[in-house]
Amino acid sequence: MRTFRFLIPLLLFTPLLLAKEANMSETQTKVKFTTNLGAFVVQLDTDKAPITTANFITYVTEGFYSGTIFHRIIPDFMAQGGGFDTDFNQKDVHDPIANEANNGLANDRGTLAMARTSDPDSATGQFFINYKNNDFLNHTSPTPSGWGYAVFGHVIEGMDIVDAMTEIPTGNRNMHQDVPKTDIVVENAQMID
């Protein structure tokens, strides 16, 4: 009988602990981007992209994205940011990370993916948001041409703000193309509940 007295409170309390843990995990993986056009929120997928989300969270908590611009906007394709300040100086970054594009997540509308060079494992701080389903960016094979671009989250609030970025005329700036002629500035990026 004594065992049951201790067991019953434990059984009643365990679901509460698990629910609290699940909520903590969920709340710690949302990032709010406040821009000069408005705010949007992204939900990170820590289960399917653990390396990429840990890297992104590091940049967010260090304040790396504050003062950066969305420097490449291509309507009906994607919006890229996380690399340059308003003077178009490239920001210093951490070491590149392994490409997790083979995680089963697709480059669909509203998803967040890592930008990189032709080297599949070259992603650092730059990311992009897909404006449509860009299937050709998905992983098809573990080869340089088939690796694809690692999706690690999606916009859950404020996609209208991301869409509004396409309304700003673009042009060339130095050797870069598709640069908004009016800066789209990330005023703040922070983890939220």
Side-chain angles (χ1 to χ4, degrees):
M1 240 3 191
R2 280 184 137 183
T3 305
F4 287 116
R5 282 188 200 151
F6 292 111
L7 192 57
I8 289 171
L10 182 62
L11 289 174
L12 292 173
F13 191 62
T14 300
L16 294 174
L17 284 175
L18 293 175
K20 187 176 180 182
E21 250 180 61
N23 278 346
M24 283 179 60
S25 173
E26 185 180 310
T27 60
Q28 293 173 347
T29 58
K30 290 179 185 171
V31 179
K32 180 179 182 181
F33 282 86
T34 304
T35 76
N36 57 334
L37 296 181
F40 63 93
V41 177
V42 298
Q43 174 71 56
L44 306 182
D45 194 326
T46 57
D47 291 335
K48 291 191 175 179
I51 296 168
T52 310
T53 54
N55 175 69
F56 194 72
I57 290 168
T58 296
Y59 282 111
V60 170
T61 56
E62 290 177 349
F64 176 87
Y65 294 116
S66 298
T68 61
I69 58 171
F70 279 88
H71 63 275
R72 188 172 174 226
I73 306 287
I74 304 175
D76 207 33
F77 179 33
M78 61 92 221
Q80 184 173 342
F84 297 89
D85 65 19
T86 54
D87 292 324
F88 226 74
N89 296 314
Q90 196 156 7
K91 294 196 73 170
D92 292 332
V93 293
H94 298 292
D95 291 337
I97 58 171
N99 191 328
E100 292 181 301
N102 60 345
N103 62 16
L105 299 174
N107 280 277
D108 291 340
R109 173 170 164 75
T111 58
L112 212 65
M114 291 306 294
R116 62 173 177 80
T117 67
S118 58
D119 176 356
D121 297 316
S122 60
T124 54
Q126 290 191 38
F127 63 93
F128 62 92
I129 302 170
N130 288 292
Y131 280 123
K132 66 173 190 168
N133 295 356
N134 290 311
D135 295 339
F136 71 99
L137 298 179
N138 294 336
H139 175 80
T140 57
S141 65
T143 63
S145 62
W147 252 112
Y149 293 78
V151 173
F152 64 100
H154 63 281
V155 177
I156 58 170
E157 292 176 32
M159 191 63 193
D160 58 323
I161 300 300
V162 179
D163 287 335
M165 295 179 189
T166 64
E167 298 171 15
I168 296 175
T170 61
N172 296 338
R173 190 164 175 182
N174 303 327
M175 63 180 197
H176 298 275
Q177 298 175 329
D178 306 305
V179 180
K181 292 182 178 179
T182 304
D183 286 343
I184 303 170
V185 183
V186 175
E187 297 169 347
N188 189 32
Q190 63 186 43
M191 306 301 296
I192 61 167
D193 292 340

